[in-house]
Amino acid sequence: MLTTPPEVEIALAESAPSAGFWRESWRRFCRRRLALVALAFVVALMAIAAAAPFIAGTKPIICKYKGHIYFPALGYYNRAWENPIFAKDRFRGRYAGTLAEKDPDSWAIFPLVYQDPYRRVRAGEWPDQPENPFGKEGVPSRYNWFGTNPQGFDVFASMVHGAQTAVSVGFVSMGIAAAIGITLGALAGYFGGWIDVLISRVIEVVMCIPSLVLILALVAMLDKVSNVHLMVIVGCTGWTGIARLTRAEFMKLKQLEFVSAARAMGAGASRVMFIHILRNALAPVLVPITFGIADAILIESGLSFLGFGASPPNPSWGTLLSAGRRSIEETWWLIVFPGAAIFLTVLAYNLIGEGLQEATDPRLRQDAH
Amino acid sequence: MTSYLIRRLGIGVITLLLITFLVYGLVRNIPGTPFTSDMAQMNPSKMMSPEAVEKLNRLYGLDKPWYQAYFYWMSNVVRGDFGVSYSRNNKPVGTLILERMPATLLLSSTSLVLAYLLSVPIGLWSSARADSVSERSVSTLLYMLYSLPAFVAALYLQLLFYVKLDWLPLYGMTSDDYATLSTSGKAWDLLKHATLPVICFTYGSLAFYSRFIRANMQEVLRQDYIRTARAKGVAPRTIIWKHAFRNTLIPFVTLVGLSLPGLFSGAVILEQIFSWPGMGRLYFESIGQRDYNVIMGLTLMFSMLTLAGQLLADILYAVVDPRVTYN
């Protein structure tokens, strides 16, 4: 290693403004190669989830039909975004042949993989592509990369669209949990007294109810479960760890001088809590949130696996797994690929969480000097 | 200490009341009752007439609003009566849970013992060989195991050992011809059936415990008294075992208390996958059948164990660490 003369080092330190907390943490985070790989994986997963209809689908990304440009693939995000003209002209979701048939001058750009998570692709829909096999014939092939499910739906397409479920459930439910947990924890830690006693008791009660008991009971109460329901339920049961940590951080920070200074300058309670203290308490709170995202994905896929997840037709990795379990002797591909996806995603979030912990917690710094 | 215990127990009772009240309200508000949900779905002709349902509801006190019914249930529980299971020929809930308990205990206690027995050597080995290539690969493997969801692991193991190799049975606790087997045959049969569930129960906590031990050991090994011991020439083995490990026991012991509730719960998904006739499966079935008394009995038991585990952890903490006192 190169040694810099001491005077040069001092000069450098004086000239550059010292790195802020977040930049310093990011630098430390970057030193952990595994955490960086995990972060790249999660970013890639989010990109796949966001662009799912452009990766696998049977609706054109963009097409020209009767003199107008349309984007039928948007229909995968929301039914209403698919232009009604295609329903009026009786396309019935089959664009590949129908477009040319109804308008010879039309053109279209299709997704990378011509497969659909919601239906079986039939023979003759796409040039040189045979009908999707079903049942135990649906082994992975060059047309169905990850095989097909018992009804002949493509597993790769289901998994790409299922990434939307995994990513959104993880983020939204932890967003809800963080909002509840940070607010309650902040109130308990900042005010103390009977508010603290009350909130701590609530936290303890929610912690003591086995989470699966609570979640199964809540899901069973609903008639038709949607992903939004799942997010809310997972969020409303997963906030206790965040609340406890926020409470402890607030109790510690509220005694520091900068809080007294802010108060002396006339800042109100909510300003002190959410602008002054929370900024300083955010780093340790981010760690349980990251682990919580992994947990939320685990709970969602577990519920779908048990048949308590979102009602069909909803592509979820857990739903694929449960179909694989029903015919475990024949359809290994329904278990291996979705299982690996769940595992890798949970692993990635755990690695990021640990990287964050080491980067932001000064006690864990290995190179403390 | 006594006043601390009394205060904790008092708080625990209030917490239990709140939990059971909440869960009772929840399960009573699940659509359908034990007498309408299941049979109607299976066979419409078997559907009971509204009058019959009405009569049964009155008989079991289900015609009252749930907050009133809760107090009936609670006062019965205090007198030791947990009610009967509606969907299992009015079998008392206590008997039903006791019947299912051994199956769950067989899995969870085996896996708990295995996890502790294996995690201590692994944790100590990895802290002694810190940063060597073999230690890093073992630690990475353990970290991956820690992140591997149990239901995914269960399915992968079933694929490998049942579908591919055909060594182990797919599910259940015993074979069909179990009754005709000799004693050693019965034990072998049970062992074969329990292998996969026990592995799935064990690996997660094994990974967690050994990482926990390693983290604590690293903390302790940095202390001055370890350097002193090294300087005066104590053998490395003695340093690890006597000087360092004994001092990591304090946080480790509290883990024992916190893993107590896991002995009984935490098995819902795995028991479902392996069709293991334990309490987790009972719970799952009872939710589907709206069997309120069974759900409540199990919830009460799980919550009591969680609270008892936390209390035990705190008490053990004071027992093993003389610096900790509760006054």
Side-chain angles (χ1 to χ4, degrees), chain A residues 201 213 325 336 340 350 354, chain B residues 11 143 147 149 156 211 273 283:
Chain A
R201 199 92 353 251
V213 170
R325 190 200 160 217
V336 170
N350 280 344
E354 209 186 2
Chain B
I11 293 177
Y143 195 81
S147 301
Y156 277 14
R211 281 169 53 78
I273 295 180
Y283 183 81

Side-chain angles (χ1 to χ4, degrees), chain B residues 1 253 312-322 324 326:
Chain B
M1 190 75 187
V253 157
L312 186 72
D314 286 346
I315 293 172
L316 279 178
Y317 206 63
V319 170
V320 292
D321 190 345
V324 177
Y326 297 116

